[in-house]
Each structure stands twice: as structure tokens, then as C-alpha cells.
Amino acid sequence: MRFRRIFIGHSFSVLLAVGMMNSAVAQAPNRQRPVPVSSLALEQGTLDFDTPDFTLKLVKSSQTVSALLPKGGAGFDFTPADRLQERASNGFNHLGDINLRVRSVIAGTTGTWQTISTSAARKPVTNIPATPPVLAAADLTPSLPPSTPVQITRLWKVENNRLVLRFEIKNTSAETIQIGALGIPMVFNNIITNRNLEQAHEICSFSDPYIGQDAGYLQVTRLSGHGPTLVVVPEGMTPFEGYQLLNEPMRPNQTFEGTFAWMAHTQAYAENEWSKADPWNVPTTATLKPSETRTYGVRLLIAPEIRDIEKTLAANKRPVAVGIPGYILPMDLNGKLFLNYGAGIESISSEPKGAIVATTGKPTKNGWKQLVLKGNHWGRARLTIVYKDGLKQTISYYITKPASQTVADLGNFLFTKQWYVNPNDPFHRSPSVMSYDRETNKIVDQDSRVWIAGLGDEGGSGSWLSAGMKQLLQPTQEELNKYEQFIDGVLWGRIQYKDGPKKYGVRKSVFYYEPKEFPDFPYDTNRNWTSWTSWSKQSSEDTGRGYNYPHVAAAYWSLYRIARNSTGLVTKHPWEWYLNQAYETSKYLTDRDANGNYHVGYVDAGLMEGDIFVAILKDIKREGWAEKANLLEQNMKSRTEIWRRAKFPFGSEMAWDSTGQEEVFSWCKYLGYEDKAVVALSSILGYMPTLPHWGYNGNARRYWDFLYGGKLSRIERQ
């Protein structure tokens, strides 16, 4: 089943700029270097081919892909064809390019790695006459450095009705050479820049890798979650050993994830740029003797829908792996791994040794092999399966403590290490659960992105929200006593206004930058306090950011549930008080002013963790609070009507986001708007992959949140 539940407490991005709402075109700067003169010679036109699965267009001068249109896709293109002109210059990669690092091997000694790339300094390739099943062939020598010790021939062909991209690499030197890195750029249209939400969902795709050696594959899914899905698999012996972010003139940004390469060998990077990293697979090289040729390539498959990816792999005799419950495995839980592949299993091993013990279970009635897995050592583990035909499959797991112990450890850390008590704090953040820097083992009491130290937005609210959710799952008296102190001493009356015209409004941050007001507070002079992120007192007190309200409502709701279902654990207020606080917070969020306008921003967007409001409404109904239930339901229905009218109702403060779908789905499902609920669910399928790899499975892609919530402020997928 290709769907994973979004859970309360997921960390999301904070405010980038005011006014980026719904389907408005919201842009972030590309920060790209000046683009040189076009080098793809687009004026020479294209070579057009009709294959069983695709309409394929190649740039005539380079024989790289200019368009890849799946049959039955109503004109949809997996490639950024409409950006071809701006991506035509040197340094930009295209499907059909190749990158290598090679070195000579003489009498047991090795030289230095030489980098070779067909995209670095393009010149028209040498056409080679092609006869079926070859569609097009070229000698890539003109685009390679003069000292290149290899000849690379590229073939586009159709084999068994499937489109194949193949590279033949021949050692033309008099010495043995070693290939230490080989990457095939996987260039698909993940460029959201200058597109509104509807355009992005109709045009763009996301790529997600299963870095699983010979069994690996890349899936390319449309943002809408519908229609043909591209599945790239190895051709011959081209293992998916690594996945590399490519260095292009246009760098990753808030509307562009970047361009990546399928890496068949990675040793040259493991020795250099990746020397401090623990790779997903053991780095390898390949050796070519003089005049020897080695072949690499990928095969392009089409699945009718995202849900058909596993069926498509099996139909094309590719290995399929499905882990239950997934690939993060608590030590107290026996996991199951189901494998569908024609060849029998030769061997199973884990690294570190013994980290996972696999025993053979009973095959399914459909013939799937079953392995029962037991995790023994905390941390990353790699399961390697070698089949009797020589194919090697790796699956990356993460072994954790038993779930109950993990939750207990979370609570202990939150209420000891992260428990902030400072009666003299000028910002009145005490007592509370504060952001924490694990590298320095200190509470973060200041940051120029003020919300991180200010208990606000996502970067600052995550810790105290997690603390509340932990109590809901596994309450302890000591921790609850502290959490009630936080509720009464900081949340109610500090983070949230308890009186005046803003009563029940939630401010953006408790911490702010006002050196004149606090001349004795030691603001760190090494930080950039001139940034827009260093809010003044006035800015920090603003109650207009809707994304802050679910956090507060969830904190109250968690204590309502505990107080309602237990005796003596919650002592400061009765359950009615906590449920009413959750209700009033929800009501303030959705109320309108005298002119009929929302007085909180982003209300017409789905809010992250917004299904908390569905839970609150259900509990208010259950308690018989009919008047309040009717008012809250009408307010929420007004929002849902806005979403019903939008084709893709997932707007936010960002140009594209994965924050709105959860609440849109939840309310549409609750109110019976099944058609829009399906639209939301389909979108989730588009951006949240199901892959046999713990790092990517269920990863609801976020690639700017480190800018606003991480210690290192940078673009990086979470």
C-alpha cells in the first residue's frame, strides 16, 4: 500500500515572506551563477522517435533528451522541456549525459582521479549510423577532455519493447585504468520555480531513489499523484550504489530540489568528498585493461499509476521488496520482509554483523519469499541478499530501541535536558521545554531566527509539542506536573494571550531582538541580528500566523484526553478547562472580523497538524457541547468550501508545500467531500514515496526547513 500516515509533531517550515498564499506564484531566489552562451546547439533541432512507452525527442547536436512523453500521458513530459533553453549551457546535465572519475593503474600503483563529464564543455557528438533496435548512437569523444583515456559510445535503443539508455566505455589507453565513479544524471522536471500550484501539479515530478545495488530503481512521480509513473531500473550490471547531488549552475533552492545522478561506482567520492560519510552501500570501482570495454545503462519502464510500481517491477522481472511495518525496526518487534524475484536466495547477511538476524518464513500463497527480521543493535544496518543468479540486493534499515523505551527516553530528555528553568529570564520563557543543541549539549536560549529560542513557529514549538504528545501516549506524573507548569506559566498568558482584544491569539515568538529594551541581555554578537528573521517585539507579538495555532490546540487537547481518561494525573485544571482551551484556540483561528475577513492568516490553507481540529470537534460533540460544536464545525466547513473550489487546494506560505494536504484530506473526509479527499491523498502519494530504504520510505519531502529550524541553515532534504 503506497501511503503512509502523516503524524502530529512533524516539523515544518516557518515564514518566508508575507502573502504567499494558495495558488499565488511564490518564488524564492534561484541564486544561480551567470549562465554562459548556449552550448546544446538547439537550433539544429531534434531527433524524434516513437517507442512503445514513450515519445522520445533528442537534441540533435548532443543526442541528450529534450522531451520524454509517456504514452497515455495527455502530453505530459517527465523532463523540464520548457526550461531547455535556460538549461542548454555548459554545466547543466541532461538525461543521456554521463560523469566519470578514472585513474591509471601501473605496476600496482594508482594515479590521481581524473574527472570526466559530457556536460562540462559540450561540442556536437559524432553521430553513428543506427539500425533497429538502435534508435540513435553517438561517439561522445568531442565532448570529453582531450586527455580522456576512454571512448564512450552512447546508444538509445528499444529492447523487449522497453526504452534503454546504454553506455559502452572502452579503454583506449595503453594502461589499465580504474573507474572510481560513474554517474548517470537522472534529469526530470522538479523545477517548481515560476509555476503556480496548478501548473506545478500538472507539469512537475519528484524523483525518489531506492539505493539498493542491482535491485535498485528510481521512481519519478507526478505531483498530482496520478497518471503514468516512470520507473528507472538497471540495464545489465549497473548497480544503484549511490545517489549524487550534481553541481550545476542553478543550485537547489526553495522551488528546486536539484539534479541528481544514479551512481554505479562511488569509490572516488568515498576517498574524497564523502570520506567522513557512511555510504549506503560499499563503494566500488571497476577495472578496464587496454582495449577492454564495459557496458552500463538504465532501462525506462512505465507504471500506469504510482500504486502499480511494484507490479511493473515484477512484470519486468525486477526484484520487489516490501517491508512490514517498514524499515525502521524496534528491537522488540519482529519485522517481515517479503521478496518477489524469480531466482532463489543464495545468502543473507547484515552489516554490522548480527545487527539484523533474518530467518526464513513461510512463503505467501502468491509465492513471495518471506523473511522474519529481528534487530539487535541500535542504529543503521544494511541487509544484503544475494540471489542464485548473482544479483545483489541491499536494503537499508534503522534499528531502534523498543518503541515504549524510545518514547520514555524522549520524555526523560525533554523534561530534564530540555527543561528550562530561569526565573530571571527577561522573556519569561521559564519554565518550559526549549529547543536544544545536541552538538553542544545546551538549551538554545538565543538565535537570530528568533522563533527557535522563542517557543514559536515550528522551530521553537517542536519540543514542547512533542512533550505534550509524549504524555498522551505514555503519561508519567513527574513529567505531567512539569507540563502543567508550562501550560499555566508560559503557554497560557505568554505564548497565547489570556486577556485583552487578542485573547486566545497565539503570538509568533516569545523571544525577540530588542537590545534597547534589554541592554543587559547578552545577545550573541557573532549572529546576524539584521536579518528579517530577527523579529522585533512588535513583530513577535503578531497573532496572524495560522500555522502556530495547531501546536497550542494540540497541547491543550493532550491534557484534556489524559484528564478525561484517568484520575489524579492532571491536577491543575479539570478536563473541561483543557477542552475549552482547545476549542477557544480553534475558534480564534477561524473567526472573522466585522468585515467578514479572517483575522488570522493562512486560514484558507490547510495547516500542518491540522487534523487536530477534527479530533477536537469530535470530542466536543462527544461531550455534548452542541452549541460550540455547531459553531466550530461551521467555521471549519467555510474553510473546506474554499478547498472544494480549488483544483489543488494545498497553498501555504511557500511556493509548493506538503503541509496542507493532511488537514485538507481530514476535513474533506469528515464532511463527506470524497472527491477532494482523493485529490489530497493522491498528492500525498506523489510526494511521499514508499521505498525499501529507511531514509526515503515515507519521507514527506522537505528541503528548506533546515534554513528555518536547523543549526546549519541550508537547503537539504529532511
Side-chain angles (χ1 to χ4, degrees), residues 19 121 130 174 178 203 273 303 424 459 469 570 666 703:
Q178 196 175 54
I203 295 173
E273 294 93 331
N424 299 319
M469 294 300 102
V570 176
S666 299
Y703 47 93

Side-chain angles (χ1 to χ4, degrees), residues 5-9 465 468-469 472 546-561 578-579 582-583 585-586 589 607-620 632 636 639 662-664 666-667:
R5 179 73 169 89
I6 303 176
F7 53 89
I8 292 175
L465 176 59
M469 294 300 102
L472 182 65
Y547 292 98
N548 294 325
Y549 287 76
H551 311 328
V552 174
Y556 290 131
W557 176 79
S558 67
L559 289 195
Y560 152 71
R561 277 296 184 100
Y578 288 108
L579 182 57
Y583 162 75
T585 303
S586 308
L589 167 70
L607 300 176
M608 62 199 82
E609 301 145 19
D611 66 348
I612 186 64
F613 300 122
V614 179
I616 291 169
L617 176 60
K618 288 181 177 179
D619 283 334
I620 291 174
L632 184 57
M636 294 301 180
R639 299 172 66 214
E662 173 194 6
E663 191 185 13
V664 170
S666 299
W667 280 117

